[in-house]
Amino acid sequence: VYKRQTINNAANYAIMAYQLEDANFTQLNFNAGWDGIHIRWGKNLKISECTFHTGDDAIAGGYWENMEISDNLINSSCNGIRLIMPATQLRIERCHFYGDGKFAHRTSREKQRKNMLSAIILQPGGWGKAEGMLEEVLIRKVTIENVDTPLNMILNEGNDGRGIRVENLHATGINRSACSVESWKGGRYEDVTFKQIFIEYVGKNDPELLDIVPAQPHVDARVLPCWALYAKNVDRLVLDQVEFRYKGLELRPALLMEEVGDLEFHGLEYDGMRQDE
């Protein structure tokens, strides 16, 4: 158990671990520095009741099995939770994410960049090939404020996804990118469910955004030709009690679906929706 410690201005990752089992990180405080907690190859892990104000990703890594991330306050000038390798039995619950970052991004070419990118980005293979499943993922009771995008899930070569559920997520002040569930290099998602979701975006009154052609992202979220949700290569996608809103003006469509098999709507609302939809 790692408990009740404060790490200020870490010269590299504040906590870096490989092949770690049966560990609990609780009531830790991270201020400035790079990544807060970075774990590669871990089993039976818990990160709870921690406070992150980091200059790079707050929590990162992958090849996690039975990982719980709960009851944390997460503020970053990069990403909140960044998965770069597969994970199974991953739970993210009762966390609050907010930007802008208190401390500037450590590696940005733009001096003093403080905008928070993704609250949660699950991208196995995002930093190089990392084969395996993204499965049994539960994200629930999460609040998000003033970030570029709330959630991106991106499969890469050698990765598939199944059993992914996002519920009771509330996000406001989303100012750059739509949510996405996407795969580009052969893998597919079997089933993804969004339930009891409210997301409010900052509209972009820019007709040039309509001409964007979606392509494989690099390592971070990017602007898309839709403003709310993009899905690609999903066998079954369920949207249950989902509400997408925006402030200001927005010219793009809310949703863009490519190669989606079964698409189920059980109470979907979004700004710009026609009455006959």
Side-chain angles (χ1 to χ4, degrees):
V1 177
Y2 300 82
K3 187 174 183 179
R4 294 179 182 167
Q5 299 291 323
T6 296
I7 301 175
N8 295 320
N9 203 28
N12 205 319
Y13 300 162
I15 296 175
M16 177 71 180
Y18 286 86
Q19 298 181 339
L20 181 68
E21 292 192 22
D22 304 312
N24 187 354
F25 301 87
T26 186
Q27 298 176 25
L28 303 178
N29 298 300
F30 301 88
N31 295 304
W34 297 60
D35 285 12
I37 299 176
H38 192 119
I39 299 171
R40 302 189 185 191
W41 291 276
K43 184 177 181 180
N44 303 331
L45 307 177
K46 185 175 182 179
I47 301 171
S48 64
E49 300 179 62
C50 295
T51 299
F52 296 86
H53 294 98
T54 56
D56 208 72
D57 302 325
I59 300 169
Y63 281 120
W64 298 336
E65 181 181 349
N66 190 26
M67 164 71 93
E68 178 183 327
I69 301 172
S70 60
D71 302 290
N72 299 293
L73 181 67
I74 298 177
N75 170 262
S76 170
S77 293
C78 198
N79 297 283
I81 298 173
R82 187 204 287 265
L83 183 77
I84 59 171
M85 297 168 173
T88 183
Q89 294 179 294
L90 169 62
R91 298 178 305 284
I92 302 170
E93 302 180 277
R94 300 180 304 279
C95 291
H96 179 64
F97 302 81
Y98 75 97
D100 287 340
K102 182 177 180 180
F103 299 99
H105 186 225
R106 291 297 294 263
T107 57
S108 177
R109 295 179 181 178
E110 303 172 35
K111 293 183 179 179
Q112 301 300 307
R113 183 186 70 72
K114 291 187 175 182
N115 58 300
M116 189 169 177
L117 305 181
S118 298
I120 301 169
I121 182 166
L122 307 181
Q123 190 181 24
W127 289 5
K129 191 173 181 179
E131 293 185 355
M133 294 290 298
L134 179 64
E135 62 180 340
E136 297 182 52
V137 175
L138 175 62
I139 301 169
R140 68 177 176 181
K141 296 183 179 179
V142 168
T143 56
I144 301 167
E145 296 177 78
N146 195 31
V147 305
D148 283 0
T149 184
L151 173 64
N152 295 109
M153 295 184 284
I154 304 156
L155 300 179
N156 287 282
E157 184 180 359
N159 305 121
D160 289 283
R162 65 174 173 233
I164 298 170
R165 187 174 183 88
V166 183
E167 62 181 42
N168 199 348
L169 180 149
H170 188 278
T172 57
I174 305 306
N175 52 46
R176 186 167 189 266
S177 304
C179 285
S180 73
V181 182
E182 52 186 304
S183 177
W184 292 84
K185 296 184 176 179
R188 292 187 68 87
Y189 296 89
E190 286 187 15
D191 56 296
V192 179
T193 297
F194 288 83
K195 183 174 181 178
Q196 294 178 329
I197 307 296
F198 176 86
I199 305 178
E200 184 181 77
Y201 294 82
V202 177
K204 299 290 186 290
N205 186 20
D206 184 352
E208 292 185 1
L209 300 183
L210 292 165
D211 298 328
I212 292 174
V213 177
Q216 170 78 28
H218 181 44
V219 294
D220 291 310
R222 76 287 196 211
V223 177
L224 288 158
C226 60
W227 60 267
L229 176 64
Y230 174 62
K232 180 181 177 69
N233 287 320
V234 183
D235 289 339
R236 180 171 180 261
L237 176 61
V238 178
L239 303 181
D240 185 353
Q241 302 172 64
V242 171
E243 185 176 353
F244 296 123
R245 302 297 179 190
Y246 64 78
K247 288 186 174 181
L249 296 175
E250 180 57 68
L251 304 178
R252 295 168 294 172
L255 311 176
L256 178 58
M257 308 289 172
E258 298 182 327
E259 301 297 327
V260 175
D262 294 331
L263 182 58
E264 299 182 18
F265 297 135
H266 303 287
L268 169 67
E269 295 183 21
Y270 55 85
D271 284 339
M273 187 176 189
R274 300 195 310 268
Q275 293 299 312
D276 59 348
E277 288 183 302

